[in-house]
Structures are given as structure tokens and as C-alpha cells.
Amino acid sequence: MVTIYDIAKRAGCASSTVSKALNNSNQVSKKRKEEILALAKEMGYVPNSNARLLKTKNSWSIGILFSEDLNIGLEHHFFSGVLQEFKAYVEALGYEVTFVSKKVGAQSLTYLEWCKYKNIDGVLILTVDVDDVNLKELTESGIPIVTVDNGLINVPTIISDNFQGTRMALEYLMLKGAKHIAHIAGPLRSFSATERLQGYKETIEKSGFMVDDNLIVEAYNYDYNSGKNALLQLVKQNKKLPDAIYAASDDIALGAIIALKELGYKVPNDVSVIGFDNIELTRYTSPSLTTVSQNKMMIGTEAAKHLIALINEETNIAPGIVKRVPVELIIRESTK
Amino acid sequence: MVTIYDIAKRAGCASSTVSKALNNSNQVSKKRKEEILALAKEMGYVPNSNARLLKTKNSWSIGILFSEDLNIGLEHHFFSGVLQEFKAYVEALGYEVTFVSKKVGAQSLTYLEWCKYKNIDGVLILTVDVDDVNLKELTESGIPIVTVDNGLINVPTIISDNFQGTRMALEYLMLKGAKHIAHIAGPLRSFSATERLQGYKETIEKSGFMVDDNLIVEAYNYDYNSGKNALLQLVKQNKKLPDAIYAASDDIALGAIIALKELGYKVPNDVSVIGFDNIELTRYTSPSLTTVSQNKMMIGTEAAKHLIALINEETNIAPGIVKRVPVELIIRESTK
DNA sequence: GAACTTCATTAAACCGTTAGAATTGCTATT
DNA sequence: AATAGCAATTCTAACGGTTTAATGAAGTTC
């Protein structure tokens, strides 16, 4: 490992001069600076981040909290899409992206301890078990944090406009003549699921209908199988099929459609189905899926912008939802 | 920030004793150790990784090289799936996962410089532009590296058994009576695409048929649109439709199927289609897709195991393919 | 030409931890 | 009683940078 001392020796100057030259300080003469820079390049010098950070603190690194406990993997289109954009944005500014861990070697740490240990500048909470005891400690620590899609108290949140999306979906169904619209809610421990459910109730009521609790079922998870099960439950607890189903996610909607097919119903002829997310392949399913499209790019970018602003103290910590990202209704074949 | 000095002061001992106690050295009496540990906990002590690593080197952190240049995002099911498993495996061992970057603050670095700067223990190359000038420097540096799916010279590679998969797909088609089997190859700058193409040619020949170059087209990318375009090209350069199409990826296959539909053909009645990957939603498309399933979990885990072994010097650097992960043929509706 | 600036350079302290050498105090051995 | 042996503890020097105060040389001003 080449150090600034090695360079100093060859250059015939003090190590502090080398340090200053490498940091482009104006306390070093132009000539010296050039000489030292050339030497550094020639000798293959690379600074040591640990030595530097020991003194200077800010680490230029951002932690991603991505808890696997929820059984939502990185494969999940929404989160990986958001992460992708987030990463691109902050990396362009010179930040490094690293996953928050709970271990260092054999030693176990809490999230907060790990962040302190690593001198993390800020954290993006992507998925997390809301009941995790270590979470509160982190969110209250004062470390800059933003979150996406989660309803964490006191954490600045970037989230899709679930109310707008729900309204658009339902109003479209009504426009097309649907009177009995069911809702397969997402797991209600998820914040977005509660917003979509709330939006459903509000819209139904505002449109002059009554909310019928039998038309609401909760999916155990956001996935395909939960959608299937939820649909069976829905069919069981109603005498006749609703005109349309508004599902809290595309995966749920797809599961429901398959279950409907298996029961001998036709989508959209017998019942219309709308999803939420607009994951890529909903274009290719049969029928292709009408859905509320989430703007993953914008969510990722907005989360990044907000976090950077917090790190640079350009903005105050505004707890709660700081940005509602607009959604879009994509009309395809699963609705008539 | 609480330091070992603060603890030492309260404990009435030397800082080195604290350090040793925290590291569970047997040079410290049991009583002292307990006292210091209790104090550390009470005072909320968290070690400083920079100070520690400055002295001890090995960083317990693994870099992921994930180049966005290729327009393959994290959303790509294959890579995110592999990453997911890899991450789970190494994190359980106490390693941290961080994305290799090219910048630190305002300063630009090469991949290798960044890894040295950060004291990275090892690197997983997920996606990378093979022609990147900075890549060679990294792969030749001696830093432990493994890669997945890429054909990088001198880098230990974990890869699906593309030959086996291709053989299984083609033999199944032949078994079902197909005589003219076309191949939509992936972009041939990708290593897997070349293997699948080679496997195609070999299997066709071994089965006593002639390889017909008109039955081979190269998709520009691994995605849906490229599949669509490739299919149009295929139709254009042949007088009659082949019996079956073996596509180098599911996305390509799905694109091809849609294009076929638009041309008025029926899958699988007029032509069978087989994909490669087994991405989740191929189950829900219409027709659902027959495909060669890649074992993402095993690839991720094997990559992790191998990298850890390299880091611990339990194995030598074996350039080239160190593990071919078995694939599986999933038969669904797109083949007759 | 003495006093004062200005600028480039250096010495030294510091960041928080580890690790090996040196020291202390105690017990066992002869 | 002197000495060796040992465990527990302390001292000290790294690790590789940054930063502040001190130094020295050259230039300016009156």
C-alpha cells in the first residue's frame, strides 16, 4: 500500500504537504501540486478511507434497510425498481450504497449500532418489519432517514398517491357500469394497504353507495397465492359475484384472475379486475391487466433527493408524508 | 461518541484493557471483563469501524459490481434473485454488502481503486460491460472475485448449465415431433447467449439435422421488444413458419409470442415456444410458458460460498467456470 | 533597513482502535 | 529469602490520513 509518507519521501517534502496537494488545497504551490499529483499517479497511490474517515467523519455512504423478514425479496419489482433509481441518483453524487446489516463478523448489532459503527450518512428504509424493536431506536436516533411506502411514524415518507389511484380505479369501474365493486385489500399491516382500503371506502361512499363489508377481504400477503385465497374467500362470503374487483396489487389481481378462471368465470366478461403497481409483465398476461401504475422512478428519485437534502441539512425533518407521487391508470383487457 | 477512553476512565483502567476486554481477550480477568462489558453497554458504546479497520485491515465487506451501462436493471429477475440469495448467505456470516462505485464525493475512481480505498474483502460481479477498460484491472488485481453468468476470463464463474438446458428444451420439442426448430438467440455479446446458441447447434447436429442459419436470429437485447423484433425478422427470412421456437430468455419468448399472435398465429397450435429463466410470471401468461428454469437460489449461494472460500484462502483461484448449476425444464402450455 | 505581510512549508497533535513489549504484583519453588 | 513464573494490567507505538499552529523565506511598505 502506497501512503502519503511514501510520496512525501520521493517528493522530498512533508506528508502534510502531500495531503494538502491531494486535496487541492491552495496552501500548496502550483508546481509542488503538479509534482505530487504526478508522483501519486505514478506510484499508484490510493487513499485509505478508514484513515481519512477516522478524522473527517462523513462517510459518503448511505445505508439501505431491506429486511428479509417480510418475505418480500429484492426480486419484488416495486422495491428493486425504487432501489435502482435511488442508487443511480445518489451514486452520481458520490455516495456509496450499502445494505444495513445486523452483524459484523461474529458480532451482532442493532440497526442503529451498525449505522454508527459504519458512520453512515443516511438511511433509506425500503422494507422493514414495522414491529421490529430495533426500528424505533433507529428512527429516533437523529440519523437522516427517509422511507418509501411504509407508514413509519416520524419518518419522512415518499409514497404513491394511493387515494388518487384508488379513486381513478373505482371511478373507471363505475363509469363502465359496475355497481358492486369488491376490494381485495393488501395485508393491513402494510401502510399502503390501509390507505387503499380507506380510499376504497371513501370513494364508494362519496359515490352514493354503501360500503358492504362482505365485499372486502384482506389478502394475507401481497403475492399471487394470497390473491387466489382471498378471492375464494370473497366468493364464499357473497351470494353472487361482484361486477368488479379492485385488488391492492397486481400479484393479488393475477392470483384472483386465475382463481376466477378455475371457478369457470370469465374476466372481464363476468367480472372486471383492476390491479395496482403495473409490474412489467401485466402487459403480457391474459387478459392483460388494467392497473394503477406506480411511478417507481419518481419515487426512487424523490426519496434520494429528500435524503440528500436531510444529510446536507437543507431541509428539516418533516415527519410523515413529504411527497405523494402521482399514479396513472393503465387500461388494458381485464376490465370491460 | 463514546470511545474506549471514556470507558477506561469510568472503569479506572487503561484503554488497552478495555479494548482487550471488548475483544474477549484472555489477558483480562473475568471480573474486569464483566465490569467493562456492563459499562460499555450502559454508556452506549459502539466501536468505530474506521479506527478498527485502520489497524486490522479485513473489512468484512463485499462489493457488488452492478454496472448500469448494460441497461439491465436491478429489476431483472435473474440478477435480483441471485443477489438476494448471495446477500442472505454472506450477511449471515457477518459480511456487509455494498455496491461498487466509481466515485467518492467529487472524486472519480476506477473499480479497483474504489475497492482498495474501501478495503473490500471480495467482489461479486453481477453485470458488467465486458469491454470496460477498468474491468481488467480489477480482475487481475488479486482481490477475490467471482462472477455469475458472465464469461470473464480468469474469473471464477458460477453459471447455469446452458448446454443441458438447451438440450432438454430441444429434445422435448423433437420428442413432440418438431422438425424445424428455430432459435432466437440472446445478444451474443452476452456469454450465456453464446453458450445457448452453441448448445442449439450441437444438439441439432447430434440429432441428425442440419443447422439452418435462416432459423437463427439474434435478439438485440434480452427484453420483450427485442423478442418481438427478432420474431419478425425470423418470419421474414423463412418461407414457412418453423414448428417450434427456442428462445434464449423468457422475455424474448413472450415478445415472440405476442408478435406471433399479432400475425395471426396460434401458440402452441401453429408453433411451440420455449423460453429460458422461468421468471415468476411466466406461469400466468397466456399461454403459460414452457421454459428452462434457472436455479437462482443455488447460483447465488454457490457464488457466495465460493467467494468466501477465496477470501479465506481455502481454495485457489480457479479461472473459468467453477460450477455449472443444473437447470430444469418446466412444461406448460406454450408447447404442444 | 526595520517592521509588517504574505505565502509555502513543516511539525505535531489528533482521530479511535489494536497489539506487542514492558511492568506490576502475586504465588510457587528451591 | 531470593528467584522464577505467571496472570493481569499498563505503556507505547503503530495504522494513514487531516488539520492547526508554528516556522521561515520572500516581498512590501514607510
Side-chain angles (χ1 to χ4, degrees), chain A residues 85-137:
Chain A
E85 292 303 319
F86 179 89
K87 173 174 175 283
Y89 191 95
V90 299
E91 279 186 351
L93 292 175
Y95 289 90
E96 163 207 343
V97 172
T98 192
F99 288 102
V100 174
S101 174
K102 289 174 134 174
K103 282 181 91 176
V104 174
Q107 200 176 5
S108 292
L109 301 174
T110 66
Y111 293 138
L112 177 59
E113 284 169 347
W114 191 89
C115 290
K116 283 185 173 174
Y117 176 73
K118 279 284 167 180
N119 244 291
I120 291 288
D121 288 337
V123 175
L124 168 68
I125 298 180
L126 258 191
T127 67
V128 76
D129 178 0
V130 188
D131 299 324
D132 193 324
V133 281
N134 290 330
L135 183 62
K136 203 173 168 217
E137 180 196 49

Coordinates of all heavy atoms in Angstrom, one line a residue, chain A residues 85-137:
Chain A
E85 N -33.4 3.3 -9.0 CA -33.4 4.7 -9.3 C -32.7 5.5 -8.1 O -31.9 6.4 -8.4 CB -34.8 5.3 -9.4 CG -35.5 4.8 -10.6 CD -34.8 5.1 -11.9 OE1 -34.3 6.2 -12.0 OE2 -34.8 4.2 -12.7
F86 N -33.0 5.1 -7.0 CA -32.3 5.7 -5.8 C -30.8 5.6 -5.9 O -30.1 6.6 -5.7 CB -32.9 5.0 -4.5 CG -32.3 5.6 -3.3 CD1 -32.9 6.6 -2.6 CD2 -31.1 5.1 -2.7 CE1 -32.3 7.2 -1.4 CE2 -30.6 5.6 -1.5 CZ -31.2 6.6 -0.9
K87 N -30.4 4.4 -6.1 CA -29.0 4.1 -6.2 C -28.3 5.0 -7.3 O -27.3 5.6 -7.1 CB -28.8 2.6 -6.5 CG -27.4 2.2 -6.8 CD -27.4 0.6 -7.0 CE -26.0 0.1 -7.4 NZ -25.7 0.3 -8.8
A88 N -28.9 5.0 -8.5 CA -28.3 5.8 -9.6 C -28.2 7.3 -9.2 O -27.2 7.9 -9.4 CB -29.2 5.7 -10.8
Y89 N -29.2 7.8 -8.5 CA -29.2 9.2 -8.1 C -28.1 9.5 -7.1 O -27.3 10.4 -7.3 CB -30.6 9.6 -7.6 CG -30.8 11.1 -7.4 CD1 -31.4 11.8 -8.4 CD2 -30.3 11.7 -6.2 CE1 -31.6 13.2 -8.2 CE2 -30.5 13.1 -6.1 CZ -31.1 13.8 -7.1 OH -31.2 15.1 -6.9
V90 N -28.0 8.7 -6.1 CA -27.1 9.1 -5.0 C -25.6 8.7 -5.5 O -24.7 9.4 -5.1 CB -27.4 8.4 -3.7 CG1 -28.7 8.9 -3.2 CG2 -27.3 6.9 -3.7
E91 N -25.5 7.7 -6.3 CA -24.1 7.4 -6.7 C -23.6 8.5 -7.6 O -22.4 8.7 -7.6 CB -24.1 6.0 -7.5 CG -24.1 4.8 -6.5 CD -23.9 3.5 -7.3 OE1 -24.0 3.5 -8.5 OE2 -23.8 2.5 -6.6
A92 N -24.4 9.1 -8.4 CA -24.0 10.2 -9.2 C -23.4 11.3 -8.4 O -22.6 12.1 -8.8 CB -25.1 10.6 -10.1
L93 N -23.9 11.4 -7.2 CA -23.5 12.5 -6.3 C -22.2 12.1 -5.5 O -21.7 12.9 -4.7 CB -24.6 12.9 -5.3 CG -25.8 13.5 -5.9 CD1 -26.9 13.8 -4.9 CD2 -25.4 14.9 -6.6
G94 N -21.8 10.8 -5.7 CA -20.6 10.4 -5.0 C -20.9 9.6 -3.7 O -19.9 9.2 -3.0
Y95 N -22.1 9.2 -3.5 CA -22.4 8.4 -2.3 C -22.3 6.9 -2.7 O -22.6 6.5 -3.9 CB -23.8 8.6 -1.8 CG -23.9 10.0 -1.1 CD1 -24.3 11.1 -1.8 CD2 -23.6 10.1 0.3 CE1 -24.3 12.3 -1.2 CE2 -23.7 11.3 0.9 CZ -24.1 12.4 0.2 OH -24.2 13.6 0.8
E96 N -22.0 6.1 -1.7 CA -21.9 4.7 -1.9 C -23.2 4.1 -1.3 O -23.7 4.6 -0.3 CB -20.7 4.2 -1.1 CG -20.6 2.8 -0.8 CD -19.7 2.6 0.5 OE1 -19.0 3.5 0.9 OE2 -19.9 1.5 1.1
V97 N -23.7 3.0 -1.8 CA -24.9 2.4 -1.3 C -24.6 1.0 -0.7 O -23.9 0.2 -1.4 CB -25.9 2.2 -2.5 CG1 -27.1 1.4 -2.0 CG2 -26.4 3.6 -3.0
T98 N -25.0 0.9 0.5 CA -24.6 -0.3 1.2 C -25.8 -0.8 2.0 O -26.7 0.0 2.4 CB -23.4 0.0 2.1 OG1 -22.9 -1.2 2.6 CG2 -23.8 0.9 3.3
F99 N -26.0 -2.1 2.1 CA -27.1 -2.7 2.9 C -26.9 -2.7 4.4 O -25.8 -3.1 4.8 CB -27.4 -4.1 2.4 CG -28.0 -4.2 1.0 CD1 -27.3 -4.5 0.0 CD2 -29.4 -3.9 0.8 CE1 -27.8 -4.6 -1.3 CE2 -29.9 -3.9 -0.4 CZ -29.2 -4.3 -1.5
V100 N -27.8 -2.1 5.1 CA -27.7 -2.1 6.5 C -27.8 -3.6 7.0 O -28.6 -4.3 6.6 CB -28.8 -1.3 7.2 CG1 -28.8 -1.4 8.7 CG2 -28.8 0.1 6.8
S101 N -26.9 -3.9 7.9 CA -26.8 -5.3 8.3 C -27.0 -5.3 9.8 O -27.2 -4.3 10.5 CB -25.4 -5.8 7.9 OG -25.2 -7.1 8.5
K102 N -27.0 -6.5 10.4 CA -27.2 -6.7 11.8 C -25.9 -7.4 12.4 O -25.9 -7.8 13.6 CB -28.4 -7.5 12.1 CG -29.7 -6.8 11.8 CD -30.8 -7.8 12.0 CE -32.0 -7.1 12.9 NZ -33.2 -8.0 13.0
K103 N -25.0 -7.6 11.6 CA -23.8 -8.3 12.1 C -22.5 -7.7 11.5 O -22.5 -7.1 10.4 CB -23.8 -9.8 11.6 CG -24.7 -10.6 12.4 CD -24.7 -12.1 11.9 CE -23.6 -12.9 12.6 NZ -23.6 -14.3 12.1
V104 N -21.5 -7.8 12.3 CA -20.1 -7.5 11.7 C -19.3 -8.7 12.2 O -19.1 -8.8 13.4 CB -19.6 -6.2 12.3 CG1 -18.1 -6.0 11.8 CG2 -20.4 -5.0 11.8
G105 N -18.8 -9.5 11.3 CA -18.1 -10.7 11.7 C -19.0 -11.5 12.6 O -20.2 -11.7 12.3
A106 N -18.5 -11.9 13.8 CA -19.3 -12.7 14.6 C -20.2 -11.9 15.6 O -21.1 -12.5 16.2 CB -18.4 -13.6 15.5
Q107 N -20.0 -10.6 15.5 CA -20.8 -9.8 16.5 C -22.1 -9.3 16.0 O -22.2 -8.8 14.8 CB -19.9 -8.5 16.8 CG -20.3 -7.9 18.1 CD -19.3 -6.7 18.4 OE1 -18.4 -6.4 17.6 NE2 -19.5 -6.1 19.5
S108 N -23.1 -9.4 16.8 CA -24.5 -8.9 16.4 C -24.6 -7.4 16.9 O -24.3 -7.1 18.0 CB -25.5 -9.7 17.0 OG -25.5 -11.0 16.4
L109 N -25.3 -6.6 16.0 CA -25.5 -5.2 16.4 C -27.0 -4.9 16.0 O -27.6 -5.6 15.2 CB -24.6 -4.3 15.5 CG -23.1 -4.5 15.6 CD1 -22.4 -3.6 14.6 CD2 -22.7 -4.1 17.0
T110 N -27.5 -3.9 16.6 CA -28.8 -3.4 16.2 C -28.5 -2.5 14.9 O -27.4 -2.2 14.6 CB -29.4 -2.5 17.3 OG1 -28.6 -1.3 17.4 CG2 -29.5 -3.2 18.6
Y111 N -29.6 -2.2 14.3 CA -29.5 -1.3 13.1 C -28.8 0.0 13.4 O -27.8 0.4 12.7 CB -30.9 -1.0 12.5 CG -31.7 -2.1 12.0 CD1 -33.0 -2.2 12.3 CD2 -31.1 -3.0 11.2 CE1 -33.8 -3.2 11.7 CE2 -31.8 -4.1 10.7 CZ -33.2 -4.2 10.9 OH -33.9 -5.2 10.4
L112 N -29.2 0.6 14.5 CA -28.5 1.9 14.8 C -27.1 1.7 15.1 O -26.2 2.5 14.7 CB -29.2 2.5 16.0 CG -28.6 3.8 16.6 CD1 -28.6 4.8 15.5 CD2 -29.4 4.3 17.8
E113 N -26.7 0.7 15.9 CA -25.3 0.4 16.2 C -24.5 0.2 14.9 O -23.4 0.8 14.8 CB -25.2 -0.8 17.1 CG -25.6 -0.5 18.6 CD -25.7 -1.8 19.4 OE1 -25.7 -2.9 18.8 OE2 -25.8 -1.7 20.6
W114 N -25.1 -0.5 14.0 CA -24.4 -0.8 12.8 C -24.2 0.5 12.0 O -23.1 0.8 11.5 CB -25.2 -1.8 11.9 CG -24.4 -2.3 10.8 CD1 -23.6 -3.4 10.7 CD2 -24.4 -1.7 9.5 NE1 -23.1 -3.5 9.5 CE2 -23.5 -2.5 8.7 CE3 -24.9 -0.6 8.9 CZ2 -23.2 -2.2 7.4 CZ3 -24.6 -0.3 7.6 CH2 -23.8 -1.1 6.8
C115 N -25.2 1.4 12.0 CA -25.0 2.6 11.3 C -24.0 3.5 11.9 O -23.2 4.2 11.2 CB -26.4 3.4 11.2 SG -27.6 2.6 10.1
K116 N -24.0 3.5 13.2 CA -23.0 4.3 13.9 C -21.6 3.7 13.7 O -20.6 4.5 13.4 CB -23.3 4.3 15.4 CG -24.4 5.3 15.8 CD -24.5 5.3 17.3 CE -25.5 6.3 17.8 NZ -25.7 6.2 19.3
Y117 N -21.5 2.4 13.8 CA -20.2 1.7 13.6 C -19.7 2.1 12.2 O -18.5 2.4 12.1 CB -20.5 0.2 13.7 CG -19.3 -0.6 13.4 CD1 -18.3 -0.8 14.3 CD2 -19.2 -1.4 12.2 CE1 -17.2 -1.6 14.1 CE2 -18.1 -2.2 11.9 CZ -17.1 -2.3 12.9 OH -16.0 -3.1 12.6
K118 N -20.5 2.2 11.2 CA -20.1 2.4 9.9 C -20.1 3.9 9.5 O -19.8 4.2 8.4 CB -21.1 1.7 8.9 CG -20.7 0.2 8.7 CD -19.5 0.1 7.9 CE -19.0 -1.3 7.9 NZ -17.8 -1.5 7.1
N119 N -20.6 4.7 10.4 CA -20.6 6.1 10.1 C -21.5 6.5 9.0 O -21.1 7.4 8.2 CB -19.1 6.6 9.8 CG -18.6 7.6 10.8 OD1 -19.1 8.7 10.9 ND2 -17.7 7.1 11.7
I120 N -22.6 5.8 8.9 CA -23.5 6.0 7.7 C -24.0 7.4 7.7 O -24.4 8.0 8.8 CB -24.6 5.0 7.9 CG1 -24.1 3.6 7.6 CG2 -25.8 5.3 7.0 CD1 -23.8 3.3 6.2
D121 N -24.1 8.0 6.5 CA -24.6 9.4 6.4 C -26.1 9.5 6.5 O -26.7 10.5 6.9 CB -24.1 10.0 5.1 CG -22.6 10.4 5.2 OD1 -22.1 10.5 6.3 OD2 -22.0 10.5 4.1
G122 N -26.8 8.5 6.0 CA -28.2 8.5 5.9 C -28.8 7.1 5.6 O -28.0 6.3 5.1
V123 N -30.0 6.9 5.8 CA -30.6 5.6 5.6 C -31.9 5.7 4.7 O -32.7 6.6 5.0 CB -30.9 4.9 6.9 CG1 -31.7 3.6 6.7 CG2 -29.7 4.7 7.7
L124 N -32.0 4.8 3.8 CA -33.3 4.6 3.1 C -34.0 3.3 3.6 O -33.4 2.3 3.5 CB -33.1 4.5 1.6 CG -34.3 4.0 0.8 CD1 -35.4 5.1 0.8 CD2 -33.9 3.7 -0.6
I125 N -35.1 3.5 4.2 CA -35.8 2.3 4.6 C -36.7 1.8 3.5 O -37.7 2.5 3.1 CB -36.7 2.6 5.9 CG1 -35.8 3.0 7.0 CG2 -37.5 1.3 6.3 CD1 -36.5 3.3 8.3
L126 N -36.4 0.7 3.0 CA -37.2 0.1 1.9 C -38.3 -0.8 2.4 O -39.5 -0.6 2.1 CB -36.3 -0.6 0.9 CG -35.8 0.1 -0.4 CD1 -35.2 -0.9 -1.3 CD2 -37.0 0.7 -1.1
T127 N -37.9 -1.9 3.0 CA -38.9 -2.7 3.6 C -38.4 -3.0 5.0 O -37.2 -3.1 5.3 CB -39.0 -4.1 2.9 OG1 -37.8 -4.8 3.1 CG2 -39.3 -3.9 1.5
V128 N -39.3 -3.1 5.9 CA -38.9 -3.3 7.3 C -40.1 -3.9 8.0 O -41.3 -3.6 7.7 CB -38.4 -2.0 7.9 CG1 -39.6 -1.1 8.3 CG2 -37.6 -2.3 9.1
D129 N -39.8 -4.7 9.0 CA -40.9 -5.2 9.9 C -41.2 -4.1 10.9 O -40.4 -3.7 11.7 CB -40.4 -6.4 10.6 CG -41.4 -6.9 11.6 OD1 -42.5 -6.4 11.7 OD2 -41.1 -7.9 12.3
V130 N -42.4 -3.5 10.7 CA -42.8 -2.3 11.5 C -42.7 -2.6 13.0 O -42.5 -1.6 13.8 CB -44.2 -1.8 11.1 CG1 -44.5 -0.5 11.8 CG2 -44.3 -1.7 9.6
D131 N -42.8 -3.8 13.4 CA -42.8 -4.1 14.8 C -41.4 -4.4 15.3 O -41.2 -4.7 16.5 CB -43.7 -5.3 15.1 CG -45.1 -5.0 14.7 OD1 -45.5 -3.8 14.9 OD2 -45.8 -5.9 14.2
D132 N -40.4 -4.3 14.5 CA -39.1 -4.6 14.9 C -38.6 -3.7 16.0 O -38.7 -2.5 15.9 CB -38.1 -4.5 13.7 CG -36.8 -5.1 13.9 OD1 -36.3 -4.9 15.1 OD2 -36.2 -5.6 13.0
V133 N -38.2 -4.3 17.1 CA -37.8 -3.4 18.3 C -36.7 -2.5 17.9 O -36.5 -1.4 18.5 CB -37.4 -4.3 19.5 CG1 -38.7 -4.8 20.2 CG2 -36.5 -5.4 19.1
N134 N -35.8 -2.9 17.0 CA -34.7 -2.1 16.7 C -35.0 -0.9 15.8 O -34.1 -0.1 15.6 CB -33.6 -3.0 16.0 CG -33.0 -3.9 17.0 OD1 -32.9 -3.7 18.2 ND2 -32.6 -5.1 16.5
L135 N -36.2 -1.0 15.2 CA -36.5 0.1 14.3 C -36.7 1.4 14.9 O -36.2 2.4 14.4 CB -37.8 -0.3 13.5 CG -38.2 0.6 12.4 CD1 -37.1 0.7 11.4 CD2 -39.5 0.2 11.8
K136 N -37.4 1.4 16.0 CA -37.7 2.7 16.7 C -36.4 3.4 17.1 O -36.3 4.6 16.9 CB -38.6 2.4 17.9 CG -39.4 3.6 18.3 CD -40.4 3.3 19.5 CE -40.9 4.5 20.1 NZ -41.1 4.4 21.5
E137 N -35.5 2.6 17.7 CA -34.2 3.2 18.1 C -33.6 3.9 16.9 O -33.0 5.0 17.1 CB -33.4 2.0 18.5 CG -32.0 2.4 19.0 CD -31.1 1.1 19.1 OE1 -31.0 0.3 18.1 OE2 -30.4 0.9 20.1

